[in-house]
Amino acid sequence: MEQAAVVAMMQAMFKENLFPSTDDLARLAETAIGDTVEMFAAKEANSDLVLWKSSPEAKALSTRLKGAIKLVHADFENASAIIVVSAYNLSRDTSKSKDENATSRRTSIESLLLNHIFCDAFIQLVVDGVVCTFRIPFGHSALVDLLEYVLEDLQYSRYICLNSDDWEPQLRNALSLAVASCGWALQKKVMGTGQMAFASQETVERYVNANLRMSQLAGTEKRMFVDELGRMRYTLQ
């Protein structure tokens, strides 16, 4: 039953918010425990299970559930640190010195962090005989790589249910956290180890702004994003 409550808590956070407030965590934990207890009570025809919600074990479980968001952040933090060097072509050039590589990497990262470059993809299409460049918001392969890693290697497919009817808010939230994570990992490459906590205000703002940007897209960029989101769901589920 406790593991079912953990799954319910994780699923709820991906549906709602991956930087929840203390009050939100308490509410989500209470709901996860309540729904899980009721489900098991009905399945086992044991109404006494409902009384378990007031037990010391339930309180301990609530504390554990409130801490689950730290696990999510740690997993995305570690995943982003693994993938950013190769995903953004930041590998060291062995013909250059350490300082030269650091300067080159810093210049590349500063460019990537401007105007959403690090999270978008760019494609060229022929329109009326003219080659045009189009931006795909949140289409950078680094984001897909990160989500593939957490969904498959870390088994987050238990929590991000891409086969469900409400898959879209879950994928949007996961994608926003991927954006925040890659932004953090890139910034850390510039600032150095130990210089930036993952759950910093800057990371929270990147997550919030990514969600906000998704909701404000219009015209061609909105169509490009909606199509890309569908493709992500298809390839990740």
Side-chain angles (χ1 to χ4, degrees):
M1 187 167 66
E2 291 188 9
Q3 186 54 40
V6 171
V7 171
M9 180 71 175
M10 297 286 263
Q11 290 176 347
M13 289 190 296
F14 274 98
K15 288 177 184 177
E16 188 169 312
N17 188 357
L18 293 171
F19 280 97
S21 67
T22 301
D23 288 344
D24 287 338
L25 285 172
R27 173 179 54 80
L28 291 171
E30 182 179 356
T31 301
I33 291 173
D35 290 350
T36 302
V37 167
E38 290 179 9
M39 179 183 69
F40 273 80
K43 184 185 297 185
E44 299 176 12
N46 184 357
S47 59
D48 290 342
L49 276 175
V50 177
L51 301 176
W52 185 86
K53 289 190 291 184
S54 302
S55 69
E57 291 82 1
K59 292 179 181 178
L61 177 58
S62 178
T63 299
R64 178 185 172 192
L65 295 183
K66 293 172 190 176
I69 192 60
K70 294 181 180 179
L71 174 62
V72 175
H73 290 170
D75 285 340
F76 273 74
E77 173 185 344
N78 293 333
S80 64
I82 290 169
I83 63 103
V84 289
V85 170
S86 59
Y88 293 106
N89 298 314
L90 297 173
S91 298
R92 294 191 181 193
D93 184 341
T94 55
S95 68
K96 295 180 180 179
S97 68
K98 181 178 180 179
D99 287 344
E100 288 173 328
N101 271 296
T103 299
S104 175
R105 179 176 283 181
R106 183 180 300 107
T107 300
S108 296
I109 290 174
E110 287 173 350
S111 297
L112 284 167
L113 292 174
L114 289 174
N115 195 28
H116 311 297
I117 299 297
F118 79 98
C119 56
D120 294 350
F122 297 85
I123 60 171
Q124 289 188 323
L125 299 174
V126 177
V127 180
D128 297 328
V130 179
V131 177
C132 301
T133 299
F134 293 90
R135 178 193 289 259
I136 304 177
F138 307 102
H140 200 289
S141 59
L143 305 181
V144 180
D145 290 348
L146 194 158
L147 291 178
E148 178 187 351
Y149 178 78
V150 297
L151 280 162
E152 295 186 6
D153 294 73
L154 302 184
Q155 299 182 347
Y156 268 64
S157 54
R158 294 171 294 172
Y159 315 133
I160 305 170
C161 305
L162 297 180
N163 290 321
S164 65
D165 292 338
D166 58 351
W167 65 271
E168 189 168 346
Q170 299 176 60
L171 184 53
R172 282 178 180 246
N173 271 318
L175 187 56
S176 293
L177 186 56
V179 169
S181 303
C182 287
W184 169 84
L186 288 170
Q187 194 80 49
K188 188 176 180 181
K189 287 295 180 185
V190 173
M191 298 180 68
T193 303
Q195 298 301 309
M196 266 185 65
F198 179 80
S200 64
Q201 186 60 34
E202 190 169 2
T203 305
V204 175
E205 288 175 359
R206 277 203 180 97
Y207 169 79
V208 172
N209 289 336
N211 260 314
L212 182 62
R213 183 184 174 214
M214 289 177 193
S215 68
Q216 293 179 340
L217 290 170
T220 301
E221 287 194 355
K222 181 177 181 178
R223 291 194 296 273
M224 289 283 189
F225 170 65
V226 170
D227 288 346
E228 181 65 13
L229 203 64
R231 287 192 293 269
M232 281 187 188
R233 181 199 183 196
Y234 175 73
T235 195
L236 291 171
Q237 67 182 357

